Every structure is written in C-alpha cells, then in structure tokens.
Amino acid sequence: MCSSCVMLFNEKNGSILPEYTALPTLQKGEILVKNKYTTLCGSDLHTFTGRRKEPSPIVLGHEIVGEILELAQNELFYDLNGNILKAGDLITWTIFAATESDEFVKDKMPQKSASLFKYGHVQFTEKEKFNGGLGTHCVLKKGTGILKVPLSVDEKFAPIINCAGATAMAAHRLIDQIENKNVLILGAGVLGLIASAIAKQKKAATVTILDIDDTRLEKSKSFGADTVYNSLNPIEELSAITSKFYKNGFDVVIDMSGSVDAIKTGLQFSATGAQHIWIGAVTPTENIEINPEVMIRKLLSIKGMHNYNYEDFINAVNFFEDHFTDYPFGTFVEKEFPLQETGKAFQYAIKHKPYRVLITI
C-alpha cells in the first residue's frame, strides 16, 4: 500500500481506483491526520449506487478515526472540550467544518452553514485531495469539531460515532421529554438501534422498533427494545401494542428508515401530543399527505433533523464513553477490508447489507 494515496470514486464508470499523490503543505488552522479506520455509511452506498449525487471524482467516507500526524506550525489546537491537541492523539471529528462567524453556526445549526465543508462530500481536485475517509490521510479544516476517542470505546466502532451516533443524539435533542414516554423507532439499522439505546438510558417507559427484517428486529432487543414489530405483519398487531398505552398511541416517533410507509404508520399510531422526529429521508422521496385537522386536534408536532451540531457530537462521544459496554455496539462492524480492497467492500455492503463494513487503513 502506498504511503499517501486515496481511493478515488468516479461516478461516470462506477470505479474506485487508487490515486497516488503527495501530501500537501498544511495551511493555517489545518491538521494532518493519518486515517486509521473508516466505516461505510448508508450515504456512501447511495452515492456508489447512484441514488445520491456527489461531485465526481471524489474520496468518499466520512465516518473516520485517525491519528494526528502534524499540526500547522505556531498554532495551538483545541478539541471541543478545550483540551490541547497534539501529534499522536487518536481522534474522530465532525463530518463538517464551518466558519465560526456564520449565522447558522451562531444559531447552532453549523451543518447548514453557507461556508460548509463536508468530509467525503467534496470533489477531488489539485487543491483538495485528502478530504475523505477512503484514503491514507485527511486534512482537517479550521471549524472542524474534534474529540479524542475515549479509551473505553473500541477503535473499530469509533468511526460510527461521528455520523450515526451524533445524528441519533441530535434526534433526541429535539424531543421535549422522553422519560416515562412510549417511543416508536422506525428502522432497525445502526441509527435506530443507537436511538433505542439512548431512549432506554433516558428512561423511556417503553421502546418499540418497527422494521421489515426479523433478524434485525431480534437484535434490537439487545439495544433496549421492549417490543418489536415487523411492518409486513397485519396492522392489528401494532394496534394491540398501543392499546396497552394510556393514550392509545406512541408519544415519541423517531423515523430512521426514510420509508414513506413507515412514516405513515408512525403518524397513524400517534398518541395525543405525539412528537415526530424525522431523520431517515435524506434522498428524494414522495410527498406525504397530512390532515391539518388531525394535526391540530391531536396536538401533534413534526421536526426534521439533518446531520447534527457540535453539541450533539460532544454528547454522542460522552454517551459511548459511558455506555459502550452496556450494549453490543461492537457487533455493528460485521466485515473488514483493507483500503486497497475498497471496491470489494462496497460490493459486499450492497449485497449483504451489514450494519457496517470497516475499512482498515
């Protein structure tokens, strides 16, 4: 394997091939990281299969853990907790960098900043080469939220924190109250299972998970799910679950699936005053009809969340530091590939649909 290269995805022919290139000279505010592990997120697979459009050619991968190699000279760098960063630190970082003066940053929505830079989503150019996880190195920009990987967290799981983990935490930030509430989570993938574990730690009364995969539903029970429901089954089974609740419906509904049918089911089984948090539908989809009278009379609310902010990232790292051994998070990584076999890793992920495939660099 080369000392410095990237695996370059070309949308025109669907290839992922190595591009050998020298490391850049760091500019003010930049940090050079040697990537150690990258996991393939669902959005990476969507780009690879054409469901999602990104600039091409591109270095994919944004769920990354790496070791600091070099920091721009004559500068002190701090992580989000105010700790000084130094060469040798094992870190993970936000999937974005944003300018501090941006109004969206001030409003705690940095992921919508006009100056946004997203790792694994930027076109490979002469000036921008090492900006994704599927390469030997990554150059971190000023405005990137950085945190050290806690010793209690498995390094091979840690890349998942800076995307799925922080996004699940963002979903929970939008919920006014979850303690003693009945929660429905749509989707038993990585996002759904993390959201379930968080709900359990926040003392939800019950957690129900809906999916179409019985194997994943069974696994959900290890992540705090009290009840699981296969949405291919008769809807009466879900009615039987909600009939036991005081309000005959779910108080909190979190969609991690992006499935229109699942979202409709969540709306159908809303308790009075239910809060709906929509996360999963990040690719083009059909519209959903919502009756205004029902919304008003049932006091329903719907909130959307795309990615997360710096606070969510901090809270996610703290959560896994405290609870990594309480749930089988380490089982999310189901297959490993070396960087040079990135193409095979994508094919495996598409065919077998594991929770995550790990690229070891």
Side-chain angles (χ1 to χ4, degrees):
M1 191 65 196
C2 69
S3 59
S4 59
C5 71
V6 296
M7 300 300 294
L8 205 56
F9 172 67
N10 193 315
E11 181 189 30
K12 292 181 180 179
N13 57 20
S15 64
I16 295 186
L17 298 172
E19 178 78 16
Y20 304 93
T21 182
L23 293 174
T25 300
L26 292 182
Q27 304 300 308
K28 183 177 176 60
E30 293 183 340
I31 297 175
L32 177 65
V33 174
K34 186 183 187 307
N35 294 338
K36 193 169 183 179
Y37 301 110
T38 297
T39 41
L40 299 184
C41 178
S43 61
D44 294 317
L45 301 181
H46 291 162
T47 302
F48 184 79
T49 57
R51 286 187 62 192
R52 180 188 181 112
K53 296 297 181 183
E54 295 284 8
S56 179
I58 188 172
V59 182
L60 295 173
H62 52 270
E63 294 185 341
I64 320 167
V65 160
E67 180 181 308
I68 294 177
L69 280 188
E70 182 184 351
L71 304 97
Q73 292 184 357
N74 302 319
E75 290 188 69
L76 280 178
F77 290 82
Y78 300 87
D79 69 7
L80 290 176
N81 289 324
N83 300 310
I84 294 177
L85 294 169
K86 62 184 184 304
D89 285 342
L90 186 70
I91 60 169
T92 188
W93 54 92
T94 52
I95 61 175
F96 59 82
T99 305
E100 187 177 354
S101 60
D102 189 285
E103 289 299 322
F104 280 100
V105 176
K106 295 178 181 178
D107 289 339
K108 297 186 177 181
M109 295 184 288
Q111 70 273 40
K112 294 300 168 185
S113 169
S115 61
L116 195 69
F117 181 97
K118 290 189 74 174
Y119 298 97
H121 295 75
V122 179
Q123 188 171 28
F124 178 91
T125 65
E126 188 61 33
K127 292 184 178 180
E128 286 291 347
K129 296 182 178 180
F130 292 95
N131 50 38
L134 297 179
T136 55
H137 299 78
C138 194
V139 176
L140 306 192
K141 307 289 186 181
K142 186 175 182 179
T144 303
I146 301 170
L147 287 170
K148 298 178 184 181
V149 176
L151 294 175
S152 60
V153 176
D154 186 336
E155 292 180 7
K156 293 185 177 181
F157 166 82
I160 297 172
I161 298 176
N162 90 327
C163 184
T167 301
M169 194 60 70
H172 277 275
R173 172 168 53 85
L174 298 185
I175 300 168
D176 293 332
Q177 180 185 340
I178 197 169
E179 186 174 351
N180 298 322
K181 300 294 185 180
N182 297 305
V183 179
L184 173 64
I185 296 174
L186 308 174
V190 172
L191 277 165
L193 299 190
I194 293 175
S196 175
I198 296 172
K200 210 62 180 176
Q201 292 303 135
K202 288 180 175 288
K203 299 181 180 180
T206 64
V207 176
T208 300
I209 295 187
L210 178 150
D211 203 282
I212 59 173
D213 187 321
D214 283 330
T215 301
R216 290 196 168 193
L217 286 172
E218 185 62 31
K219 188 179 183 71
S220 301
K221 298 174 183 178
S222 300
F223 289 86
D226 301 288
T227 307
V228 297
Y229 171 73
N230 191 313
S231 56
L232 299 178
N233 293 340
I235 204 71
E236 288 76 17
E237 293 184 19
L238 196 54
S239 297
I241 294 171
T242 56
S243 66
K244 302 174 184 177
F245 301 151
Y246 171 64
K247 297 177 184 175
N248 295 316
F250 295 101
D251 303 298
V252 176
V253 181
I254 305 173
D255 175 62
M256 298 299 197
S257 69
S259 164
V260 168
D261 289 338
I263 293 171
K264 289 178 179 177
T265 300
L267 289 167
Q268 181 180 347
F269 287 90
S270 299
T272 298
Q275 302 173 73
H276 292 260
I277 312 299
W278 292 355
I279 302 285
V282 292
T283 54
T285 188
E286 63 186 272
N287 293 334
I288 296 176
E289 291 187 0
I290 300 175
N291 187 287
E293 183 186 4
V294 173
M295 287 285 298
I296 293 167
R297 292 191 181 277
K298 293 194 73 172
L299 311 178
L300 303 183
S301 65
I302 299 173
K303 297 179 181 179
M305 175 55 64
H306 182 228
N307 296 149
Y308 56 86
N309 64 20
Y310 297 116
E311 174 189 349
D312 302 321
F313 181 52
I314 293 171
N315 290 337
V317 171
N318 289 341
F319 175 81
F320 288 107
E321 181 176 20
D322 294 340
H323 300 292
F324 183 75
T325 58
D326 294 336
Y327 302 91
F329 292 116
T331 62
F332 284 161
V333 174
E334 298 186 61
K335 187 76 172 178
E336 297 182 30
F337 290 86
L339 181 62
Q340 60 267 32
E341 294 183 8
T342 296
K344 291 182 180 179
F346 271 96
Q347 296 297 341
Y348 180 90
I350 292 166
K351 180 179 179 180
H352 297 282
K353 297 179 173 58
Y355 289 99
R356 282 295 188 271
V357 165
L358 181 75
I359 306 296
T360 302
I361 300 137

